[in-house]
Amino acid sequence: MTEVRQRKEQTSIESKEPAPEKEKTGSSERSKKDRKYASVQRFIKLFIGSLAAVISGLMYAIYLSTYHERRFWFSSRQDLEREITFQSDSGFYYHYYKKLLKASSFSRGLHELTHDNSSISLRTINAVQQLNLYPELVASILYRMSGSQEAVEPVYFYIGVVFGLQAVYVTAVFVCSWIMSGTWVAGMLAVVWYIINRPDTTRADYAVPLRENWALPYFAWQVTALTGLLKNNISSSAERLCYLLLSASTFTFVMMWEHSHYVLFVQAVALFLLDTFDLVQSRKIADVYRLYLCCISLGYILQFQNFSLLTSPLLSLVAGTVLARHIQRDMKSGRFVARVMKVVLHFYLVFVITATLHFVVKTVFLHEENKHVLHFLEVKFGLNTKKNLTTSLLLCHGFLQTPSQDFFLRLTQTSLLPFYVLIFGTCLLSTLQAIFRRLRGLNSKEKITSSQEDRTIGENPEVIYHVLHTVLFGLLTMMFEGLKYIWTPYVCILTASGVCSAELWATLFKWFRLRSVHPVLLALMLSTAVPTIIGFSLWREFLPRVITELSELQEFYDSDTVALMNWIKKQTPVAAVFAGSPQLMSLVKLCTGSTVTSLPLYNDGDLIKRNENLYQIYAMRSAEDIYKMLLTYRASYVIVEEAICSEMGPMRGCRVKDLVDIANGHIVHDSDEIYAYSKYRRFCHEIKLDNSPYVNYFTRVFWNRSYHVYQVNTVISFQY
């Protein structure tokens, strides 16, 4: 009996042994299901976010196209009237796009542009290099390759490409905010802020051919790729993808805009600060520096040996940083005081080496553009008191003045500025806290593996970069209002991502030591509730305004300019040369294709001198002086603008005729009054009276309320 009982017990024990194996099998199946569910959830989230990003970009392009149509009545205009709507300083770029399409082949058109003797009198220029016509080259290639010559007019294709790039821009804004916050709701909020702040985020709606409209969308994707690259928890495949996108967008940005290297210099300063305070892996910063060198080198070669790229402060900063690193190999080691001293020494070394290299390169490669930019900055910041006419005109340009109160008022009314101050302040304090911890010797691995409750928003390299990005460009915007088009979109990105970030709210609650509700749970609730409330309030207030803006027709018709351009095309010889203000010459070149004496460009010493001389038609100079000056440029006709000659602007010191008088030394100070004095009367006034000796040198051939055109006489007939 005992043996039988033992056998039964053994049998029961053996039957119970497989139970743990079944539990392991069940748990593994549950984990597989959980992983499968999580992957499906991530895919759905990625699909919805990507779809929302693409739709946002397309809707913005449709919005811009509709607004442009309503503002200019574009579809109901003739070709000449359509081109006049491009009448910004850069409107003449469209002329070269037309010229490329009229050529028998692209190669033939490219040869004509690189050996152009019909744009500026007495000069043969490489228009592609001199005027940076790479966007027009790309647009003409796309137009020829698309086979849409019969279906789409060239002007609509040109505008469509620009508006399509703005769609790409908005998509990048969406994706960048999504990457930073982890939720595509932040992307939606960033896009909404970008659109309702349109007057301060873009000029594509009224100045289509501007170089920035072609370049800034690529810069937005460059910043987006850099944001992904800087993240701590990025996988190797995602890092390679970000680096590939970063390379392509950086190179395209350099090719599309002649001022791109200055923008990249500011970005490089932000990356230098990140690396100096050990807030990001040095390997990633080194990769970006190598990318800068490659893109600048390729740009130098492809842009016909563009020396402005070689003399760029970007190259000097990268070289200075690398050399300083080789000198200080153990900068990130030691105690707190030692590390602080090493950081201070590193700043000093980088500054001295960068300044020295930049001075040497500028001395070796004398380049006119950098010379004039440097002189303007010296005068702007009070380092030089000698101003020429060009510098005075630039200082009075609204684009280069300090921002007005209306700018900040608009950002406040859309609630962008108040929330930006909150998000920026939180991120900045958290960043300073992270820097202090780094200087005290906290290992980066310890930071990465810290729990969610202990983490703060300032420990994320991508967030710190955007804080530095908005700080640097914000400081520049406070000095030059035109840079708001680079600053404001990234304010939208940082603010939207911060509002929707649970990590930011958790950082605030950690500082205030809120214990009644779990901080992480409360942060998750607020990161959903706050953007929802903001979005609803913006939708309620600004959606009716946008609909009204798109539904109302605006009147735009410059009959005097249309009459002038028609007269030039029909009544003047093909070989005629026109003289006048650079802005008007840009419009003449755009609409008629005639040879002009100057263009509104500031990267060529000869063109700058020409512009200063041609502004003398609004000075108090003799008829003989103006006549001799016009003959030196082989001018056939001179156009006097009534808006400049009789300007009665509120800023008296910034009127063209006042600036010309100051440059000529014709200003007399008497007590508190300022007078203009010369032994000659103002040329633009006197020539309209048809008195001697003006009629001896010039013959009026066309006039209306805005323009007076005079033929420069080849044979002088003296009348008394």
Side-chain angles (χ1 to χ4, degrees):
M1 292 292 293
T2 305
E3 292 178 359
V4 173
R5 191 176 295 129
Q6 289 177 352
R7 288 174 183 174
K8 288 182 179 179
E9 289 177 357
Q10 290 176 358
T11 305
S12 62
I13 292 172
E14 289 176 359
S15 63
K16 291 179 181 179
E17 285 180 356
E21 296 180 2
K22 291 182 179 179
E23 290 179 2
K24 290 180 180 179
T25 304
S27 62
S28 63
E29 290 178 356
R30 283 196 299 271
S31 63
K32 288 181 180 179
K33 290 181 179 179
D34 292 341
R35 287 195 297 269
K36 184 177 180 180
Y37 175 76
S39 61
V40 171
Q41 191 177 21
R42 284 196 298 269
F43 174 77
I44 293 175
K45 180 182 177 181
L46 180 63
F47 176 77
I48 295 176
S50 302
L51 185 63
V54 173
I55 292 176
S56 298
L58 292 176
M59 293 299 293
Y60 182 66
I62 294 172
Y63 163 72
L64 274 183
S65 178
T66 306
Y67 178 77
H68 185 266
E69 171 65 27
R70 292 288 182 175
R71 179 171 182 175
F72 298 112
W73 296 20
F74 206 75
S75 60
S76 60
R77 302 291 189 188
Q78 300 295 323
D79 288 342
L80 177 62
E81 297 168 354
R82 290 173 180 173
E83 292 171 0
I84 289 177
T85 63
F86 294 156
Q87 57 176 326
S88 62
D89 289 356
S90 59
F92 62 91
Y93 288 115
Y94 179 72
H95 161 75
Y96 296 97
Y97 167 74
K98 292 191 301 181
K99 192 171 182 178
L100 281 168
L101 295 182
K102 289 179 180 177
S104 57
S105 64
F106 175 78
S107 57
R108 178 61 185 173
L110 180 61
H111 180 269
E112 291 178 358
L113 292 186
T114 54
H115 303 80
D116 183 16
N117 58 3
S118 62
S119 289
I120 302 173
S121 61
L122 301 179
R123 286 194 61 179
T124 299
I125 64 172
N126 182 346
V128 177
Q129 177 191 17
Q130 190 86 19
L131 309 179
N132 196 55
L133 298 179
Y134 299 98
E136 282 65 35
L137 295 180
V138 174
S140 62
I141 292 174
L142 292 176
Y143 187 71
R144 289 176 181 271
M145 293 177 60
S146 64
S148 56
Q149 289 85 343
E150 297 181 358
V152 181
E153 296 180 46
V155 65
Y156 277 109
F157 188 86
Y158 187 85
I159 294 176
V161 172
V162 175
F163 288 166
L165 285 174
Q166 305 315 303
V168 173
Y169 196 167
V170 167
T171 304
V173 169
F174 186 108
V175 174
C176 188
S177 188
W178 183 7
I179 291 174
M180 290 179 62
S181 64
T183 172
W184 54 265
V185 176
M188 294 292 293
L189 185 58
V191 169
V192 169
W193 264 324
Y194 180 91
I195 293 174
I196 64 178
N197 288 284
R198 176 182 50 78
D200 302 308
T201 56
T202 183
R203 291 192 287 175
D205 55 331
Y206 66 91
V208 175
L210 280 174
R211 303 296 85 179
E212 66 189 52
N213 295 333
W214 294 84
L216 291 183
Y218 297 104
F219 181 63
W221 275 107
Q222 193 257 11
V223 173
T224 301
L226 182 61
T227 302
L229 183 67
L230 294 176
K231 289 180 72 70
N232 283 324
N233 56 349
I234 187 174
S235 63
S236 58
S237 58
E239 183 176 337
R240 285 193 295 268
L241 178 62
C242 289
Y243 191 78
L244 181 62
L245 178 59
L246 182 68
S247 304
S249 55
T250 303
F251 171 70
T252 311
F253 180 56
V254 169
M255 293 298 296
M256 289 293 172
W257 198 17
E258 64 270 25
H259 301 308
S260 59
H261 56 93
Y262 294 114
V263 178
L264 294 177
F265 168 73
V266 179
Q267 184 184 75
V269 172
L271 295 177
F272 161 71
L273 294 174
L274 272 175
D275 188 31
T276 300
F277 291 110
D278 195 20
L279 297 170
V280 69
Q281 299 177 32
S282 298
R283 171 185 60 83
K284 294 183 178 181
I285 302 300
D287 290 342
V288 177
Y289 284 165
R290 281 193 289 269
L291 176 62
Y292 285 153
L293 294 176
C294 292
C295 292
I296 293 296
S297 301
L298 286 175
Y300 168 76
I301 296 171
L302 296 178
Q303 293 182 2
F304 303 94
Q305 298 182 349
N306 185 358
F307 285 101
S308 65
L309 293 178
L310 290 184
T311 57
S312 169
L314 173 63
L315 292 183
S316 301
L317 176 62
V318 171
T321 304
V322 172
L323 289 175
R325 266 302 166 83
H326 281 287
I327 295 173
Q328 287 183 292
R329 294 183 179 275
D330 59 341
M331 192 185 73
K332 298 181 180 180
S333 62
R335 295 182 178 273
F336 177 75
V337 177
R339 293 192 69 173
V340 170
M341 296 300 296
K342 288 179 180 178
V343 167
V344 173
L345 178 61
H346 187 66
F347 274 111
Y348 175 77
L349 283 175
V350 171
F351 176 77
V352 171
I353 296 174
T354 301
T356 304
L357 287 175
H358 190 56
F359 175 77
V360 171
V361 171
K362 280 174 52 183
T363 304
V364 175
F365 302 103
L366 294 175
H367 190 66
E368 293 292 337
E369 178 187 359
N370 291 337
K371 178 181 177 181
H372 298 298
V373 170
L374 182 62
H375 181 258
F376 167 76
L377 292 176
E378 289 176 349
V379 175
K380 176 73 175 180
F381 298 123
L383 302 176
N384 193 337
T385 58
K386 296 181 180 180
K387 295 190 293 185
N388 53 28
L389 178 58
T390 300
T391 303
S392 299
L393 287 168
L394 291 175
L395 289 172
C396 287
H397 198 292
F399 192 87
L400 298 173
Q401 291 185 344
T402 56
S404 62
Q405 293 182 355
D406 293 339
F407 168 59
F408 300 103
L409 182 61
R410 288 192 299 270
L411 296 185
T412 303
Q413 289 174 342
T414 59
S415 73
L416 176 61
L417 189 59
F419 278 103
Y420 169 70
V421 172
L422 171 65
I423 302 302
F424 171 77
T426 304
C427 294
L428 181 61
L429 290 176
S430 182
T431 300
L432 294 175
Q433 190 179 43
I435 292 173
F436 182 73
R437 294 177 64 190
R438 281 293 184 282
L439 293 176
R440 292 184 63 185
L442 178 64
N443 195 322
S444 59
K445 292 183 179 179
E446 182 180 344
K447 174 183 76 75
I448 295 174
T449 58
S450 60
S451 65
Q452 182 67 23
E453 296 184 27
D454 295 334
R455 287 177 59 84
T456 59
I457 191 70
E459 294 175 349
N460 298 325
E462 70 276 11
V463 174
I464 303 173
Y465 165 74
H466 276 268
V467 170
L468 297 174
H469 183 107
T470 55
V471 165
L472 295 174
F473 282 105
L475 291 175
L476 292 173
T477 302
M478 296 307 105
M479 295 179 284
F480 308 104
E481 185 175 7
L483 293 178
K484 66 182 180 181
Y485 301 109
I486 303 179
W487 179 63
T488 310
Y490 300 96
V491 170
C492 298
I493 292 173
L494 179 62
T495 307
S497 61
V499 167
C500 299
S501 173
E503 201 168 355
L504 181 133
W505 295 107
T507 301
L508 284 174
F509 298 146
K510 179 183 176 182
W511 290 345
F512 289 111
R513 301 181 184 279
L514 295 178
R515 299 297 182 186
S516 57
V517 183
H518 198 283
V520 175
L521 178 61
L522 188 58
L524 290 172
M525 293 170 57
L526 283 179
S527 63
T528 303
V530 173
T532 302
I533 295 172
I534 295 173
F536 178 76
S537 61
L538 293 177
W539 173 79
R540 183 178 179 182
E541 182 176 357
F542 289 96
L543 182 62
R545 298 187 187 182
V546 172
I547 294 175
T548 303
E549 189 179 61
L550 295 179
S551 60
E552 83 177 349
L553 291 170
Q554 302 182 38
E555 179 62 33
F556 178 86
Y557 187 71
D558 192 347
S559 58
D560 291 342
T561 303
V562 172
L564 173 64
M565 299 305 159
N566 279 323
W567 179 83
I568 292 175
K569 295 176 72 173
K570 297 176 181 179
Q571 302 296 329
T572 60
V574 177
V577 178
F578 290 85
S581 68
Q583 288 71 26
L584 181 59
M585 293 302 97
S586 169
L587 192 58
V588 170
K589 189 66 187 174
L590 166 66
C591 297
T592 68
S594 300
T595 304
V596 295
T597 54
S598 65
L599 287 171
L601 297 171
Y602 302 97
N603 58 357
D604 183 275
D606 178 62
L607 285 178
I608 291 175
K609 188 64 177 178
R610 285 184 180 223
N611 292 340
E612 292 179 352
N613 290 338
L614 291 166
Y615 271 123
Q616 297 301 315
I617 62 178
Y618 301 103
M620 292 184 289
R621 300 287 296 271
S622 67
E624 184 179 1
D625 290 343
I626 301 298
Y627 179 76
K628 290 180 178 179
M629 181 267 296
L630 293 174
L631 285 183
T632 58
Y633 300 126
R634 301 285 177 85
S636 309
Y637 300 89
V638 58
I639 306 176
V640 176
E641 298 173 69
E642 192 66 29
I644 298 179
C645 187
S646 303
E647 185 179 3
M648 300 296 292
M651 297 180 63
R652 184 177 177 182
C654 277
R655 296 182 301 183
V656 171
K657 54 186 179 182
D658 295 335
L659 297 177
V660 173
D661 291 340
I662 293 173
N664 293 341
H666 294 161
I667 295 296
V668 177
H669 296 267
D670 183 11
S671 299
D672 295 333
E673 297 293 332
I674 300 177
Y675 301 97
Y677 173 78
S678 174
K679 64 179 181 179
Y680 301 106
R681 296 183 181 273
R682 197 169 300 279
F683 175 83
C684 64
H685 286 312
E686 295 299 312
I687 194 174
K688 290 185 287 187
L689 301 178
D690 290 335
N691 293 331
S692 180
Y694 296 91
V695 293
N696 302 337
Y697 301 103
F698 307 97
T699 303
R700 184 162 60 178
V701 291
F702 174 86
W703 68 93
N704 57 28
R705 293 174 301 176
S706 303
Y707 305 101
H708 297 260
V709 183
Y710 297 88
Q711 185 175 4
V712 181
N713 296 334
T714 54
V715 178
I716 302 176
S717 59
F718 290 95
Q719 302 178 18
Y720 299 95

